[in-house]
Amino acid sequence: MSTIDIPELALVALMGISGSGKSTFARRHFAPSQVLSSDAFRAMVADDENDQSASKDAFDVLHYVAGKRLRAGRLTVVDATNLQPHARAGLVTVAREHDVLPVAVVLDVPEPLCWERTRQRPDRTFGRQVLGRMQRDLRRSVGQLAREGFRKVHVLRGVEEIEQATIRYEKLFNDRKELTGPFDIVGDVHGCRAELEALLTRLGWTLRRDAAGRPVGAAHPAGRTAVFVGDLVDRGPDSPGVLRLVMGMVAAGTAICVPGNHEQKLLRKLRGRDVRVSHGLAETLAQLDAEEPAFTAEVASFIDGLVSHYVLDGGRLVVAHAGLKEEYHGRASGRVRAFALFGETTGETDEYGLPVRYPWARDYRGSAMVVYGHTPSPTPEWVNNTICVDTGCVFGGSLTALRYPERELVSVPAAREYYPPARPLVTPEPARPDDVLDLADVTGRRHVDYGYGTTTVAAENAAAALEVMSRFAVDPRWLVWLPPTMAPCSTSTVEGFLEHPAQAFDDYRAAGVRRVVCEEKHMGSRAVVLVCRDPHDGPFGPGGGVVHTRTGRPFFGAPLDEALLARVRAAVTAAGLWSELGTDWLLLDCELLPWSAKAAGLIREQYAGVGAAGRRALPAVLDALDRAAGRGLPVGELRERVARRSTDLSRYTDAYRSYVGHSDGLDGVTLAPFAVLASTGASHAGRDHGWHLALADRLHAADPAFFTRTRRQVVDLTDEAAVAEATRWWLALTAAGGEGMVVKPYAGLAATDARGRLLQPGLKCRGREYLRIIYGPEYTEAEQLERLRQRSLGRKRGLALREHGLGLAALDRLAEGAALWRRHELVFAILACESEPVDPRL
C-alpha cells in the first residue's frame, strides 16, 4: 500500500494520460470542492468539455480559481493531464504566487488499459496514437518534475498501486499551533553566552552543564518553552557556547529556534559556498576552529534543520527572525523564507551604508502577535501587535526576552560592547499614537479576522457605518462595545403562537446546552453605560463616562446623560463594586425604561396612527353593517370579520400603550442592567449569568428607585418540571403585559457548543400580544399566522452570531489594552453589520 504525504495546504497536480483514472482518484480521495477539473472549466467557457480550442481560456479561469482558494488557505487539486511543461509551469507559478508547495501525483497506468477505458467513453473520439503520444510525454516528464519546482513527487504505477494508495496529510514544518506555551522568546544573542545564561537564570530556568562546566541545556520548573528568534552567532565572544546551549535545549524539547540571517550565512560558508566573511562571521569561524570537527558538523546540521518561522498557540503567535507579514503566516516558499530572514528593504542605503528596511510593522493589521529581532533598538516597542526583541546586546545594549502570554519584557545588560555598531542604536519611530484613527482602517471592502471567526464588511455597509459614526456617535475613544442584534427562537408550532418557550428550549437542547437562564425581557431601549469612578477624567478621555444607544449615539444628550451617569456612579460606589472588581470603570449592558422615554416619536408616528385610524374607521363600518343587516342584507360573515378586526385593534392599542409611561428628564426613568461586561484589565464575558445578575441586583439594592431588577428563572433543560414551570412563568409574564423573555446559556456570553463554536448569546421569546406591535393587529388570524410561520431565521441568526463574536473580540482587546484602532475596527464592523438587509420584525 502506497501512502501519499501531502501538506495540509498545497497545490496538488494530478498527472496522467487519458483513461488513467485521475478523476476517479480525485473523487475517492478529495472533497468535490477541492478538485478543479480542466474538463469542467472547458465546459464552463465553451459548453463542451472536449473542446480543446477552449483550453487556454479554461486554464486561465482554473488558475484564477486556484489562486483564490490558495489565498484563502484551502487545499486545491487540479485534475488535468498536466503532460506538457508549459501547463505544469502555470501551476507552479500559481503555487509560488501564493507561497504554497506544489505537489505532483502521477498515475502511471499501462497504455492498453487506458485505451480500453477510453473506447468505452463515447465523448472521447481521438485515435489511439494520441494515447501513445501522451504516454511518451509522461515518460519524459516524470524525471523533470522536481527540477520544474514540484516539492513532492509521488508516482503510482499500475492499477493495484493506485487503488490501494492512501492520502496522509502532513502539517507544514512551521505549523506548531499545538504548542500553547507559556513561552520565553529571546532576542538576538550574537555569541553573548554569559548574558544568555544570566537572562535564562533571571527567567527562572535551571541550566544543565557538562563535565567541563559548559552549559548544554536548560529547563524551567513551570514547564515554559524558550523560543529563540535567531542570530545566535557572529560578533560576540562565544558563538559556539551559545550554539551548544541552544542546541541542547532544542534537542531536549525545552526550546525551539528559528534561523537568523547570520546562521544562514554561516551555513553557506560551512558547506563550502563562496560568501563574504564580514559582519562578525570571521570571529565565529575562528571560534569554531577551536572546536572538534564533529561539533562543527553538528552545528551545520542544526542550522540546516531550522524552519523559517513558527505559528504557535493556535495561530495567536508568530515568531520569525525579521518579522513576517500577515499573508505569509503559515506559508512555505523561498519568498516567505527570505522575508523571515531579512525583512523587506526599499533598495536604498542609509548614511551608514546599511540597507533601508521597509517598516512592514506599521502596516500590519493581523490578529496574531508577531515577535521578531534582526533590527536592534535600545528598547522594545509594540507596533500594531508586533514587537522587536533585539536590543543590541552585542553592541553594548541588553539581551531581552518577552514572556508570553504575559507580555512582560525581561532584560539583562550587556557586560560590555563586544562589537561596535555600524549605526548607533536608536529607538524606532512609533507607527502612530495609540489614540489616532486612520480612515483607511474602516473604509472600503474589508476582511476582518476577529479571533472568534471572520467576516467581510461590504464597502456600502462601511460607508453607512461611517456616516453614523462620524456624524452622530459618541467619541470613538469611549465607544468600546456595541450590543449585537438578537435572534428570535425557532417559529412555534403551538396553536395561536408565533413564538413559544418550547422552541427556545429545543433550540438550545439541540446545541447541547443543559442549563439556561430565562430573563425577563424589558420593554425599553437598549442602553450601554460606561461609567468611571472619577466624574471628570476617565481612562478613555475627559469626562466620567458615556451612555449610548445600540448604534453608538448619545442616549439623551449631555446634561441628562451626565445626570444618569452620576446616579449609576453613586450606586456602584454604594454597592462596593469599584474595590471588589479592582477597577476605575465599568461597562454595563442595560435596558432603559419606559420605552416611551426614548421612542415617543416612534410611538406617535408609527403605532398610534394605526390605532387612531382604526378606532375612527371600524366603528363606522360596524354601524353601516348593522344597518345593512337590519334591511335584511346577508352581511353577517363580513360583520363578524370586521368585529374581530376591531377586537384585534383594541388589543394592538393596549399592547403599545402598556409600554408608555410618564417621564420628564430622568423623572420616571429606570435602568435595568443585566450584564457587567468589562472593567479595568478584564472582560467578564466568561462569567456565568448568575454572576452578572447578582451584581445587577446589588445595584438595584443600592438605588431601588432608579434600578429595575431583572426577574429570571434558571432552568435545567433535562428537568421537565422546571421547563413546565418556566413556561408557566412566561405565560403569566406576557399575560400581564410583559414583552416576553430572553433565554440564554447559563454559562455566559462566551458559551460554546461541543465543537467549540459560539452559541447564540440569547434567543428572544416574545409574547403573543406584544407581537401585535411587530406584525400588525390581525397577525393572529389563522391565514396570517400560517404565512408568518414560513419566516426564515437563518440570516438573522448568522448576523447575530457575527456581531456577538465581534463584540466579544472588542471586549478582549479592551481588556488587553490594545491600541484604539484595533478596538475601533471591531466596533465599527458591528455597526456596519447593522446595514445588512434583514427583516426588521425578527
Side-chain angles (χ1 to χ4, degrees), residues 762-790:
L763 294 174
K764 55 188 177 184
C765 183
R766 297 166 289 183
R768 171 184 162 97
E769 293 309 314
Y770 168 79
L771 286 173
R772 289 191 193 279
I773 305 174
I774 305 301
Y775 288 104
E778 302 167 60
Y779 91 100
T780 51
E781 289 290 319
E783 290 180 2
Q784 291 204 41
L785 195 57
E786 188 57 35
R787 178 175 53 81
L788 289 172
R789 284 195 170 119
Q790 308 309 312

Side-chain angles (χ1 to χ4, degrees), residues 544-562:
V546 291
V547 185
H548 62 77
T549 67
R550 66 182 312 274
T551 57
R553 304 171 189 235
F555 203 90
F556 291 120
L560 282 182
D561 284 356
E562 290 170 6

Side-chain angles (χ1 to χ4, degrees), residues 495-506:
E495 186 169 353
F497 290 90
L498 188 61
E499 296 177 9
H500 191 275
Q503 276 61 53
F505 296 148
D506 284 347

Side-chain angles (χ1 to χ4, degrees), residues 377-685:
S377 62
T379 56
E381 181 176 342
W382 288 100
V383 178
N384 297 338
N385 207 27
T386 77
I387 189 169
C388 176
V389 290
D390 180 5
T391 47
C393 182
V394 76
F395 301 130
S398 60
L399 185 62
T400 296
L402 172 72
R403 291 167 60 87
Y404 176 94
E406 300 89 342
R407 294 170 69 101
E408 175 189 352
L409 291 164
V410 179
S411 299
V412 296
R416 62 183 180 85
E417 181 187 277
Y418 297 102
Y419 199 93
R423 176 173 52 206
L425 296 182
V426 293
T427 302
E429 295 182 13
R432 64 181 179 193
D434 276 359
D435 60 349
V436 172
L437 299 176
D438 188 336
L439 191 63
D441 291 336
V442 295
T443 51
R445 180 181 173 88
R446 295 180 303 111
H447 182 74
V448 181
D449 185 341
Y450 49 93
Y452 296 90
T454 60
T455 189
T456 298
V457 178
E460 58 271 24
N461 291 357
L466 186 61
E467 174 77 5
V468 172
M469 195 77 78
S470 60
R471 294 185 60 194
F472 307 114
V474 300
D475 186 327
R477 292 175 296 178
W478 291 91
L479 192 60
V480 297
W481 180 81
L482 285 177
T485 188
M486 185 179 297
C489 61
S490 293
T491 302
S492 175
T493 56
V494 178
E495 186 169 353
F497 290 90
L498 188 61
E499 296 177 9
H500 191 275
Q503 276 61 53
F505 296 148
D506 284 347
D507 287 341
Y508 279 123
R509 282 195 194 97
V513 176
R514 291 175 54 92
R515 196 178 188 208
V516 297
V517 58
C518 304
E519 296 180 9
E520 172 188 10
K521 192 173 191 309
H522 301 285
M523 184 52 183
S525 302
R526 195 73 169 264
V528 178
V529 178
L530 177 53
V531 60
C532 301
R533 191 171 192 170
D534 187 329
H536 306 295
D537 189 17
F540 305 100
V546 291
V547 185
H548 62 77
T549 67
R550 66 182 312 274
T551 57
R553 304 171 189 235
F555 203 90
F556 291 120
L560 282 182
D561 284 356
E562 290 170 6
L564 189 150
L565 286 167
R567 198 83 177 258
V568 174
R569 185 179 299 112
V572 173
T573 301
L577 297 185
W578 300 123
S579 56
E580 181 175 324
L581 297 177
T583 186
D584 291 323
W585 57 268
L586 283 180
L587 179 64
L588 306 174
D589 195 6
C590 315
E591 197 81 5
L592 189 139
L593 309 170
W595 184 36
S596 55
K598 186 66 176 174
L602 177 68
I603 295 169
R604 282 194 305 269
E605 295 166 12
Q606 182 166 323
Y607 301 109
V610 173
R615 288 193 303 274
R616 179 81 175 183
L618 291 178
V621 174
L622 286 171
D623 182 60
L625 290 171
D626 286 339
R627 290 197 305 271
R631 295 198 301 270
L633 296 176
V635 294
E637 185 178 341
L638 177 59
R639 205 267 179 207
E640 182 181 344
R641 188 162 68 248
V642 174
R644 287 201 310 270
R645 293 184 66 189
S646 182
T647 301
D648 288 340
L649 183 73
S650 296
R651 290 172 176 165
Y652 170 83
T653 303
D654 292 342
Y656 72 74
R657 281 179 173 172
S658 65
Y659 305 121
V660 175
H662 168 76
S663 63
D664 183 10
L666 290 187
D667 183 24
V669 168
T670 66
L671 196 65
F674 47 84
V676 180
L677 296 168
S679 57
T680 304
S683 165
H684 300 304

Side-chain angles (χ1 to χ4, degrees), residues 189 192-201 205-210 214-219 226 228 232 238-252 254-255 295 298-299 302 399:
V189 184
C192 299
R193 178 191 53 78
E195 286 81 357
L196 177 57
E197 289 188 44
L199 179 62
L200 290 174
T201 301
W205 289 72
T206 301
L207 296 172
R208 178 170 56 86
R209 300 181 184 274
D210 62 9
R214 300 175 300 186
V216 293
F228 293 92
L232 304 172
D238 191 3
S239 290
V242 172
L243 287 165
R244 186 175 288 108
L245 173 55
V246 173
M247 288 162 54
M249 293 173 70
V250 171
T254 61
F295 176 77
E298 186 180 351
V299 166
F302 170 74
L399 185 62

